[in-house]
Each structure stands twice: as structure tokens, then as C-alpha cells.
Amino acid sequence: MNISPNKKPSARFAPWEDPAQKPLVRFGNVTKRFGSFTAIDNISLDIYEREFFALLGPSGCGKTTMMRMLAGFEKPSEGTISLGGEDIADIPPYKRPVNMMFQSYALFPHMTVEANIAFGLKQDKWPKQQISERVEEMLSLVQLTKFAKRKPHQLSGGQRQRVALARSLAKKPKLLLLDEPLGALDKKLREKTQFELMDIQEKLGMTFVIVTHDQEEAMTVASRIAVMDDGKLIQVATPEVIYEYPNCRYVADFIGDVNLVEGRISSKTEEMVKLAWAEGQGDIDISNKNGCAAGENACLAIRPEKVHVTREEPQDVDNKIRGVIHDIAYIGNLSTYYVKLGNGQIFRAQESNRRRLANREFTWDDQVWLSWRNTAGVLLQK
Amino acid sequence: MNSRFTWFNATSLTLGFVFLYLPILLLVIFSFNESRLVTVWAGFSTKWYVELFQDEAFLDAALVTLRVALLSATVATILGTLAAVVMIRAGRFRGRTLFSGMIYAPLVMPEVITGLSLLLLFVAIGIDRGFWTITIAHITFSMCYAAVVVSSRMVTFDTSLEEAATDLGCTPFQSFIKVTLPIMAPAIVSAWLLAFTLSLDDLVIASFTSGPGATTLPMKIYSQVRLGVTPQINALSTILISVVTLGVLTASFLTRRAETKRKADELLAGS
């Protein structure tokens, strides 16, 4: 990515910016077809050691197929997949140094928690002593030592999830794949487990690849996110870049809320682009961060929380538009104002509710001003 | 719902049970009859049981039946399980629909036809009919039942369990042995029990495929009854009924205990 918003000079983990780094996983022009259906369409992607990499997209976008190709359950129709520089296309799943945590957890119901964790180690013919030590270590890592002798159906959902994690970590894989690992947990537990996952990943220094359709989950845990749609990679970047500088409307819309303003670029300088968006309204100023040329159609994407709502006409702002409050969505900590502009478009602005509801400033049908800085949005090509 | 014990309910319950169990009850009572005449009560006696266990022909028949049932149930379960695995797992291969249709066909085929066609086959290839031909015939028809029982469980089997085993280092064959089979075990056991029972009480197919050397128990009973019902048959039937009753009670006791255990486990998981 050419844009890195908050570049800290020291010790930032960003191997993808260092051309000397060798990737752990490399997808080289990988295509996967099922019959006439193309699930993965010519994808090239590098994943580096110690990354927590998220594949994010709606169901059917091909993210699970990517993961199953890494695990060895599917073979690419074209292209190569290499792990640590070695082509793994013809290595069967049981010989790959890759383990997977399944969405359904896939715990063996006829074995105890202990036996589940030891399964892969026994298969690899570890000495007995080492197996029991490793199992002990894994159980304490996921805080399930007390439950070693239980069967999976005697555990709660969160405990099963941790057993599945311990089992997939036991063999010290070079790469751990997590298929929607938190999908079956409720919201509170999911958030807690996200941090546990991050802690474990950091502690063990392993490379994790997670598949998820939950954008918040991806934003929380991942060092980088690959947004996928329809078998293609749309954008691969850090969570901050994905959120603040989406490279297309699809990404802007998929991650979080966004206002999209269609228009035509009326003028362009080194610093600034002006977007003509409606008759009788002033042009919108946008910092020039994109390769749009004057005269082209383009689209401004701006997040609701970057737009201010005021009753008085604001001074010293870069852009301001008049509107009428059409609707208010109160969700406790935040309120989203749906403001109708002169051309009928609905524009969303979000304010945090620092004051109590009774003192709320605006109500329905109030005339208000919307304002934002010219660095607040991004310009997307059509 | 307001359910009360009314006279109407009591009557219909009694009628139902009488309809079901009166014949069996009569049979059991008359097996302890002193008299040789089946329908005349002449006092309590266990002499027919003693006589039964001294009758070598009956004991031979029982032994043949048991051996046929054990052997055919085992082979049929193995073949049926393999067929089920192919039907559920192999995906869409050429002729899959035909294959799965054909595996179920013997379920609805009249036994007489199955028996007759097997007889024709054995005659055509010139095998001496006897113990082995009965066993083969029983494998043929009970295999489909086994396949049905196993495949109905196989449908709900989570294939990610096998994938997990493969992921942890098992070859596909190892994961089948270490994960799939143990989980499928209850279905395989019930398939075996079903095949065993079917073989035990088959008369028609056994009659077609047996030879002079081998007579099964149902065949023996049937041929005896044609000469007139003796109290000996009653005694034999009573023994069979007790064995079956014992089996059913044990099975339901085991199911009940598993259920109680499962409930306790769920309570444990919740805590």
C-alpha cells in the first residue's frame, strides 16, 4: 500500500513493507474452479511469518476455499501455493506443517479433551512423556486443565472452542488456520476470546490465518486484512488503511458505515480536488490522494463519525452543507443523524452522546449544518 | 390437554393388549401343560422342556440357525457398511442412482422371489445346497437392511471430523478407522442386530436354499407343525419369546441409562 497513515518510525511490525522479507505463504496466480464455477480467480498473495492475517468477505466470496487450499483439502486448478518457499500443491493434508481449527470445532466425540489434544501428537509418534507434557502445556494455555478428562459434549461452547484451539496448536504448526473460529459464541464471549486469540498468537509467535465474515472481528485481531469478493482480492492492507483509505466503493461499504457522494471532478491541483456533486451547491474540497483526473466521474466516501452536525453555520471548516434532520437512530453511546440534503440525498452523521438524552440538541425536522475537513473523506474512482 | 382414565380408555387399552398378547399367553401356558393334547389343560408340568433338550434334531437345528445367523450378520454388516460409505461419500459417480436404487430393491422384493432366484443360481453353478448356501442367501438379503441402517446414520455424520483427523496427520484410511468407525459403532451394532434377527427367523429363503444336511429352527418348527402342533413346539416358542423379551428389555435399559447419563452430562456442561 502506498498510504500508511500513522507511520511510527520504530519497531512497527510490517514485514510486508520490507522487500528483503521472504513470505511464509505465497499464492502465485492461483485459480480454483469447481466445474464451471470459478471460486478463486487468479489470486496472488503473500503472507509473512508471525502475521495474524484475516480473509474477510461475504459468504461465497472464496475465503474458505483459500483456507482449504492451504490446509490441503483442495488443490488449485492453476497457479502455485508455496509454504516457506516449498511448493505444497502435491503434499496431502496429513503431511503439511499446517493445522486447522474448524468452524464446527470437529472435536472427536468419543475421546476425552486430553485424547483430542494428544491425537495429532500420537499420530506423529511422539514419545509418551513428551505427549503428556505437551498436552499439559496446551491445557494450561487455554485454561482447561480441570477439564482434561471430560468428553466434548460435557463442555460449554466456549470451552469446546478452546479445546479445538489447543488441539490445532499442539503440533506446533508453521501455520495455523482458523475457520470462523468464534462464529458459534455469543457477542460478549466472542470479544473476550478475540483478545485471548491475539495473546496466544503473540505468545507463541506463530502465523495465524483467520477466515471470517465479521468485519469487527477482522479489524480487532488482524495485522492485515484481505477483503475478498467473488473470488478476487479487493484490497489487502492493515485494518487502519482498510477503514480510512478503502480503495473502492465495495470495501468502503463492506467495512463500517459510509456516505457516498457521486459527482464529477471539476478541477484538480497538486493539493486539492474539487467535486461538483449537485446543482446549486458548492463544490466539495478533497485532499488529493487519488489518481482521478479532472472531468472524470468520481465518488466521495466519508464516514459518518467524521461529519459534524451543528445548528449554527460553522466557521473555519473546509466543507459545509445545509440539511434537515430526517431521522435519528439512538443506540445509546452514539446517535446517527440521517440528514436530508437539498438534492434529496440522505447523509449520515454520527455524534457520540456525551450528554444525557434529555439535553439532546437536535430533533426531527431541525435545520442543521453538516461540516467536515477536506482530509476526512477519500475519493474513489467510479 | 385433559387426559383422564375413563372407562372408554380402559376398555380400548384392554382390547388392544388382549389382541396382541392373548395368543402368545396361551402358547406360554400350554407349554407347561401335562397333556399331549394342545388345547386341553391337564395340570402343570415341565416335561416338554426336558423332552425338547433331549431331542437332537431340534438341538441341531438350533445350532445351524445360530451359526448361520452369526456368520451372515457379520458378513452382511461389513458389506452393508462398505456400501453405505460408497453411497454417502463417493459423491456423484456414474451409476450412483442406479446403485443406490438397486441396493434397496431387495427390501421390497417378495421373499419367495429372492429365494427362488437364489435357488436357481445355486443349481446353475452346481453348489451343494446346505449350510453355506443358506448363509450366502442370508447375507444377500440382510446386507441391504444393514446398508440402510448404516447409511441413515452416515448422512448426519460431520465430515469435518474426518478432515480434522487428516489435518492432524492421519491418512484417509487411518482417519476412517480411528474416527469414523468408533463414531459409527452404535449404528453398525444395530445393523448387526437387525441382520442377526432377520436371519434367525427367516423361513422362506432358508427353505429354498437349504439342502438335506442343514435345517434351521424355523424350518424344523414349520415341518413339525404340519404333522400337528405338539407341546414341544410350545416349549421351544416360549424359550424364544423369553430370549427376545430379555433382549428388548436389555436394549431399552441401556438406552434409558445412556439418556440419563446424557442429561447429567448436559447439566455438568452448563455449570
Side-chain angles (χ1 to χ4, degrees):
Chain A
M1 281 292 95
N2 52 351
I3 309 148
S4 346
N6 45 357
K7 223 177 208 150
K8 285 179 221 141
S10 67
R12 201 164 67 91
F13 176 73
W16 51 90
E17 285 171 2
D18 181 359
Q21 284 276 349
K22 291 241 176 337
L24 177 68
V25 178
R26 167 161 274 172
F27 284 83
N29 300 97
V30 171
T31 296
K32 173 70 188 174
R33 290 186 209 90
F34 295 104
S36 60
F37 172 71
T38 306
I40 298 293
D41 191 1
N42 195 21
I43 281 182
S44 294
L45 175 67
D46 289 349
I47 298 170
Y48 295 86
E49 215 157 293
R50 305 174 75 90
E51 264 205 271
F52 202 140
F53 193 90
L55 291 165
L56 176 65
S59 57
C61 71
K63 56 189 193 298
T64 304
T65 308
M66 293 280 280
M67 174 159 283
R68 292 178 62 84
M69 286 196 292
L70 280 175
F73 299 129
E74 309 286 352
K75 272 190 182 183
S77 313
E78 281 165 35
T80 57
I81 301 176
S82 59
L83 181 73
E86 183 194 2
D87 190 342
I88 55 169
D90 290 322
I91 300 179
Y94 50 91
K95 287 189 181 152
R96 292 188 185 198
V98 173
N99 284 127
M100 179 157 169
M101 193 189 139
F102 289 80
Q103 184 172 11
S104 60
Y105 307 148
L107 298 177
F108 306 130
H110 56 300
M111 296 181 195
T112 60
V113 167
E114 233 172 14
N116 264 285
I117 297 174
F119 188 87
L121 307 175
K122 279 191 187 147
Q123 202 57 40
D124 281 6
K125 308 237 160 37
W126 283 34
K128 262 208 168 120
Q129 183 61 27
Q130 278 185 35
I131 290 181
S132 63
E133 277 168 22
R134 183 70 178 156
V135 169
E136 201 60 37
E137 192 185 335
M138 286 296 109
L139 281 170
S140 73
L141 181 74
V142 296
Q143 298 155 31
L144 284 176
T145 311
K146 278 196 301 187
F147 300 92
K149 303 283 182 216
R150 288 205 186 172
K151 293 270 184 76
H153 64 117
Q154 297 169 318
L155 300 174
S156 69
Q159 291 166 342
R160 281 180 214 173
Q161 189 266 346
R162 302 217 295 275
V163 177
L165 181 66
R167 188 180 68 180
S168 55
L169 284 169
K171 285 177 75 176
K172 304 180 183 164
K174 275 191 191 166
L175 179 66
L176 181 73
L177 308 172
L178 304 129
D179 185 7
E180 304 264 6
L182 313 176
L185 306 181
D186 64 67
K187 192 167 186 288
K188 278 261 159 69
L189 190 57
R190 195 162 62 219
E191 282 167 3
K192 183 171 156 260
T193 314
Q194 283 168 4
F195 288 110
E196 284 177 3
L197 269 184
M198 289 160 74
D199 277 351
I200 288 173
Q201 193 255 350
E202 210 160 308
K203 209 186 283 176
L204 303 178
M206 277 169 40
T207 313
F208 282 23
V209 173
I210 183 174
V211 157
T212 179
H213 66 272
D214 180 345
Q215 43 122 340
E216 262 180 53
E217 187 170 300
M219 300 280 288
T220 311
V221 300
S223 61
R224 278 195 305 160
I225 298 174
V227 182
M228 293 186 66
D229 184 37
D230 214 7
K232 292 189 186 68
L233 289 177
I234 309 296
Q235 188 171 12
V236 182
T238 60
E240 303 86 46
V241 173
I242 293 265
Y243 188 78
E244 302 289 352
Y245 301 96
N247 66 357
C248 66
R249 299 174 57 151
Y250 178 80
V251 174
D253 214 24
F254 188 74
I255 312 281
D257 266 344
V258 74
N259 293 301
L260 294 168
V261 184
E262 310 273 351
R264 201 173 51 77
I265 295 172
S266 56
S267 73
K268 181 183 179 183
T269 65
E270 281 286 298
E271 296 290 296
M272 207 64 72
V273 172
K274 282 187 182 297
L275 186 74
W277 63 284
E279 290 281 322
Q281 299 271 9
D283 291 356
I284 297 173
D285 289 344
I286 304 153
S287 298
N288 184 9
K289 295 266 195 183
N290 205 311
C292 296
E296 259 181 55
N297 286 328
C299 171
L300 169 71
I302 184 163
R303 303 283 181 193
E305 75 273 9
K306 298 200 167 56
V307 180
H308 289 294
V309 192
T310 47
R311 194 179 295 280
E312 309 300 328
E313 181 168 355
Q315 306 300 320
D316 294 331
V317 292
D318 300 328
N319 297 290
K320 54 191 172 190
I321 309 177
R322 276 192 77 104
V324 175
I325 292 190
H326 180 72
D327 232 331
I328 303 172
Y330 171 75
I331 50 165
N333 55 343
L334 301 169
S335 285
T336 305
Y337 300 95
Y338 291 77
V339 177
K340 200 172 201 166
L341 307 183
N343 65 350
Q345 190 182 350
I346 301 284
F347 210 88
R348 275 167 296 177
Q350 206 167 53
E351 298 278 351
S352 67
N353 292 324
R354 295 210 178 80
R355 292 190 234 167
R356 281 188 188 261
L357 191 62
N359 305 329
R360 201 163 58 186
E361 250 179 297
F362 313 109
T363 183
W364 283 265
D365 293 331
D366 278 1
Q367 288 274 346
V368 290
W369 285 91
L370 297 174
S371 58
W372 62 93
R373 309 202 63 84
N374 56 26
T375 52
V378 285
L379 197 61
L380 304 171
Q381 275 162 305
K382 287 226 71 174
Chain B
M1 217 175 73
N2 183 15
S3 51
R4 274 182 309 136
F5 195 75
T6 60
W7 278 113
F8 177 75
N9 288 350
T11 315
S12 45
L13 191 72
T14 315
L15 277 177
F17 271 98
V18 166
F19 194 76
L20 278 176
Y21 288 107
L22 187 64
I24 294 175
L25 191 69
L26 278 180
L27 189 146
V28 173
I29 291 171
F30 278 106
S31 75
F32 294 104
N33 195 357
E34 172 77 46
S35 162
R36 170 160 283 279
L37 294 166
V38 178
T39 46
V40 182
W41 183 254
F44 182 83
S45 155
T46 53
K47 70 174 183 189
W48 303 115
Y49 287 87
V50 177
E51 210 162 288
L52 181 69
F53 281 102
Q54 282 161 356
D55 187 334
E56 226 151 88
F58 267 119
L59 289 182
D60 267 356
L63 205 63
V64 168
T65 310
L66 219 56
R67 277 164 60 204
V68 169
L70 284 173
L71 191 61
S72 72
T74 307
V75 177
T77 307
I78 293 170
L79 291 178
T81 304
L82 292 178
V85 170
V86 173
M87 276 192 298
I88 305 296
R89 288 298 171 72
R92 306 217 64 86
F93 58 91
R94 260 181 90 85
R96 180 181 178 275
T97 321
L98 186 71
F99 178 67
S100 57
M102 277 172 69
I103 200 118
Y104 296 131
L107 294 184
V108 291
M109 192 84 80
E111 281 184 320
V112 177
I113 293 175
T114 312
L116 187 61
S117 59
L118 281 163
L119 173 64
L120 290 178
L121 175 76
F122 293 142
V123 171
I125 56 178
I127 306 181
D128 283 340
R129 276 163 289 134
F131 173 79
W132 288 106
T133 46
I134 302 175
T135 309
I136 291 170
H138 280 188
I139 292 170
T140 311
F141 84 91
S142 55
M143 182 199 134
C144 340
Y145 289 89
V148 170
V149 171
V150 175
S151 69
S152 67
R153 173 67 184 85
M154 202 81 163
V155 171
T156 56
F157 186 86
D158 181 6
T159 47
S160 66
L161 288 171
E162 271 177 14
E163 282 183 348
T166 315
D167 188 61
L168 292 166
C170 286
T171 60
F173 179 71
Q174 285 173 326
S175 67
F176 184 77
I177 298 294
K178 291 188 178 176
V179 172
T180 316
L181 271 188
I183 296 171
M184 294 294 298
I188 294 172
V189 169
S190 25
W192 188 89
L193 284 174
L194 182 63
F196 184 76
T197 327
L198 285 170
S199 165
L200 211 58
D201 64 28
D202 166 67
L203 171 65
V204 179
I205 291 173
S207 316
F208 274 104
T209 52
S210 77
T215 309
T216 65
L217 210 50
M219 285 166 70
K220 181 76 187 162
I221 295 173
Y222 188 69
S223 62
Q224 285 281 318
V225 168
R226 273 195 300 192
L227 307 173
V229 182
T230 65
Q232 231 176 343
I233 301 285
N234 285 353
L236 178 63
S237 309
T238 306
I239 291 173
L240 282 179
I241 291 167
S242 341
V243 168
V244 170
T245 311
L246 203 69
V248 170
L249 285 180
T250 315
S252 70
F253 171 73
L254 288 177
T255 326
R256 196 112 148 236
R257 208 180 56 172
E259 181 73 6
T260 329
K261 189 165 175 299
R262 196 182 57 79
K263 284 214 174 109
D265 285 347
E266 269 168 16
L267 222 63
L268 199 66
S271 67

